[in-house]
Amino acid sequence: MSTKAERTMILRWLAGRGRPVAAPTPFLDALLATRNVTIRRALPWLLLFGVPALFGAIGYHSLFGPGATVSTPAYFACFAIQLTMWLSVRSRQRALAKQIRPWRGAAHERPGGWFIAAAALAYGGGAALALVLYFATPARTYALSWLGLLVLSAVCSSSIMAGYLRAPVLAVDEPSAAVYRALLAENIHTAAPALAAVPPILDVALGNRLPSGYGLWLAAYAAVVVAMELVAYVRSRRPLPPGHYGDPLPAPGFSGSTPS
């Protein structure tokens, strides 16, 4: 059963996708409540990933020394937050999956083209920039340190993506399957490609020694990845198809009282 705050969020979510209801069906109430990541639920996961991330950032930066990118702590913080958000949601989804039979209908959708393009640019474009730096400039330590962080980010994000895409569909009918697909399109942004592209901006902001003109290329790369992911998110917010999502809203002007 959802809390009062979760119920308000659920009603707004359904209304925002063209299906306003007075109250959701019991299953949709439980399914959409999995979106709510509270501090109490997330704290154990944050501690589980945050502490290793802290020591990982220190060790990684020490491995490369003063010439490394200063974005290392930001990357490791992103890893901890992404994994925390992912497992906070998936733990509630796993609990819900135990209460229903496996869905026999159509499988969930795959990520859209804009999201895939954003990921390809974030990792492929970032790797290309790092390799150009390594072979064409003296900033080899910087390039290697950033390339390693891109690899770690790709491992983190691909694990999250695989976790969501390989999970069973949580549905009991066609409307709940449509809601699950919409939730999946939302949840995969936990594996945000933008989080691989934005942290190196710290090297520009903090005045790290970079080759001439590199800062502009880095800013343009990050801006394009962020823009593409925003487009992917907006395009994924499609209206839900017709179906029974809950108790209908009262007709306009209906007061609920019996005329005398």
Side-chain angles (χ1 to χ4, degrees), residues 181-217:
R181 287 191 288 269
L183 277 180
L184 177 64
E186 184 179 280
N187 286 334
I188 62 172
H189 285 274
T190 306
L195 295 182
V198 170
I201 295 295
L202 288 172
D203 290 294
V204 180
L206 299 178
N208 196 8
R209 293 181 179 179
L210 300 173
S212 177
Y214 169 71
L216 291 177
W217 279 101

Side-chain angles (χ1 to χ4, degrees), residues 19-60:
R19 299 297 163 192
V21 295
T25 62
F27 181 76
L28 289 185
D29 183 75
L31 176 59
L32 287 169
T34 63
R35 296 179 67 247
N36 189 32
V37 179
T38 63
I39 294 296
R40 180 176 63 85
R41 294 181 185 276
L43 186 58
W45 297 113
L46 186 59
L47 291 175
L48 176 64
F49 295 116
V51 174
L54 173 62
F55 288 102
I58 295 172
Y60 189 89

Side-chain angles (χ1 to χ4, degrees), residues 94-112:
R94 290 191 189 99
L96 180 59
K98 295 177 181 179
Q99 303 173 27
I100 62 172
R101 294 179 179 179
W103 173 242
R104 300 299 183 185
H108 45 57
E109 298 176 358
R110 299 305 182 191

Side-chain angles (χ1 to χ4, degrees), residues 107-141:
H108 45 57
E109 298 176 358
R110 299 305 182 191
W114 280 96
F115 185 89
I116 294 173
L121 179 61
Y123 297 109
L129 281 174
L131 290 174
V132 168
L133 281 173
Y134 182 82
F135 288 108
T137 74
R140 292 191 169 187
T141 300

Side-chain angles (χ1 to χ4, degrees), residues 236-254:
S236 71
R237 290 175 58 89
R238 297 187 297 268
L240 293 168
H244 178 65
Y245 294 90
D247 299 335
L249 293 171
F254 177 73

